[in-house]
Each structure stands twice: as C-alpha cells, then as structure tokens.
Amino acid sequence: GRTSDDIGIYEDGHWTWVEPPVSRGSFYTALTGPDGQSDDIYLGGSIYDPDRVSMLFRHDGEEWTDLGRGFGRSITDMEWFDDGSGVKLYATGQPPSYGDPDELFGFARLNDGQWEVVAPERMTRPIHLCAHDDGSGPRLFGMNYDVLTSWDGHTWSEYELTEYTETELASFVSVAVNGRQELVWGGNSGQDDIGRVWRWTGSSDELVGEADGEIDAIIADTTGELGGGLFAVGDFRHINGVPALN
C-alpha cells in the first residue's frame, strides 16, 4: 500500500530488484499473468495525477508498460476470470466519485486496453476478488468487510454469512484441500486482535481456524512444492491449538 525504492521479483531461487514504474503512488495489489502462461507482473493502485486516479502497470521482465488510467480512484484487487468471452483482467476498487450514477461501482474489466462496466446495477462493492468454482460453475467471488458476492458473467449474487464476524481481511484465496477446491479467507478482528480463517461450503460460511495472534496472510500452495494445502502467516504461536513454525 506504499511506494518503495525498489520492487523485488522472486524467480528461480533468487531475487531481482527493479525500479517502480512511478515515483509517487501507492500499490495495493499484484498479480501474475493468467494461468502461469507468462512471466508478466501486474501492479494496481492509485496515483495523484493531479487528482487521485487508479493506475495499472505490467512488467514483462524487462520494462514497465502503463496500461492506462480511468478505472476510478484506486484499484484494491485484481483477478483473471473467463466469463465465457475469454480470460480478461477484472479489477475492483474505489469508484470515481460517490453518488455518481454513471460510476463503475468499483468493479470493471480491462478489454482491449479499455475499462468497461460489467456490473452496472447497484451492488455491494467487493474489496477482494477470487476466481473459484464451488461446484456450481466458475464464478468471480468478491468479499467486502461483511458481504460475500459472486459474478457468473451475467449477474451478481449475494450470500448471507452467519458465522463470519467483520474482519480486516488479509487474504481471499481458492485452494485445493483434500482433492477439493475451497474458497478461504482470513484476517484480524479489530476488537480482539485475533486472527481467524473461514471457508465457503457452497451454501454457508464456516470458521475453520482461530489463532492466538494476528494473521497477516493466507497463502495457497498451488505448486505443490510445500506439500500443497493452505498456510497462515502472521504474528501468532498457535492456530486451533497447533503450534506455529518459526
């Protein structure tokens, strides 16, 4: 969420440091190319130019390319998703202005270099995005502070969360657990500084983990190099009574 003097890219066992594409701005999200088909890195955030607007850059291993402005005031998360018309980059974030009937409602996709509205109806703006198939077909799920939504390429659906308590979300991922794809999210409650992890069963939410400290990230091992599954990272000693590794 802040600019830095350098950006590190970890590949083939070593770090490569590159200069950021802009000198003043904030990056909130990073994403690799779709399905691991390229080594491109995408960065999204906001910059004052001269007012606050979103920015999106791609690094191809050699240089940065500015993919344009105009989404809104910022990009908070990005995800690749195929709604039937091909894989495209979807983004969520802060809309251009509050109360504007023509705003993008904080959700749009990049199509041939142009942002386009894909959910023009009023909706609960997601802060985090994750492509996931819960058995009913591939959907792009969105998570706000206390609302779970999904986009199937045509309509938005909202789901009632019964177990979930409002949390400062750290991660929102789809991960294979015991041969089944799970939608999992985690973060910290501002009331008790306890990290918690939930999963979506396809019809309801379920608390699956509670740490004795803060959870900074939930990481899915998609390569299998760590044995597969889900990892929680943060400042805690135990999660569900299981000792954490230092």
Side-chain angles (χ1 to χ4, degrees), residues 28-229:
Y28 304 113
T29 180
L31 189 66
T32 57
D35 300 324
Q37 296 175 359
S38 72
D39 294 328
D40 292 351
I41 303 294
Y42 294 76
L43 288 181
S46 65
I47 187 174
Y48 287 91
D49 187 29
D51 297 323
R52 188 183 180 193
V53 296
S54 67
M55 62 177 176
L56 177 63
F57 288 89
R58 181 184 69 232
H59 191 269
D60 61 5
E62 298 293 335
E63 60 184 5
W64 292 103
T65 300
D66 189 341
L67 299 182
R69 318 288 164 86
F71 170 80
R73 291 185 297 165
S74 71
I75 293 174
T76 59
D77 205 2
M78 303 180 291
E79 180 67 293
W80 297 102
F81 181 65
D82 186 353
D83 65 358
S85 62
V87 177
K88 293 183 177 63
L89 183 64
Y90 287 73
T92 187
Q94 291 184 328
S97 63
Y98 295 108
D100 183 353
D102 297 321
E103 68 188 19
L104 299 183
F105 302 104
F107 181 77
R109 70 183 175 196
L110 194 63
N111 190 14
D112 293 330
Q114 300 293 324
W115 290 110
E116 63 179 4
V117 177
V118 290
E121 71 272 14
R122 289 285 176 179
M123 53 170 279
T124 301
R125 177 180 62 85
I127 298 175
H128 297 269
L129 297 175
C130 182
H132 174 72
D133 188 346
D134 63 2
S136 61
R139 290 173 176 264
L140 185 59
F141 281 80
M143 173 62 78
N144 202 308
Y145 292 107
D146 56 0
V147 177
L148 179 67
T149 58
S150 73
W151 165 255
D152 64 1
H154 304 284
T155 58
W156 276 96
S157 300
E158 289 196 3
Y159 308 96
E160 181 181 2
L161 301 178
T162 58
E163 300 294 329
Y164 179 64
T165 56
E166 185 172 322
T167 299
E168 183 179 346
L169 205 62
S171 299
F172 188 44
V173 299
S174 180
V175 57
V177 179
N178 297 325
R180 177 179 175 178
Q181 205 69 19
E182 300 273 9
L183 182 66
V184 181
W185 64 94
N188 306 299
S189 170
Q191 298 179 348
D192 53 19
D193 293 327
I194 296 299
R196 294 181 175 88
V197 181
W198 288 265
R199 76 179 184 98
W200 178 246
T201 67
S203 59
S204 63
D205 56 310
E206 179 183 22
L207 179 65
V208 295
E210 189 169 85
D212 56 2
E214 295 185 354
I215 292 178
D216 297 327
I218 301 293
I219 303 170
D221 177 21
T222 57
T223 64
E225 293 182 0
L226 300 177

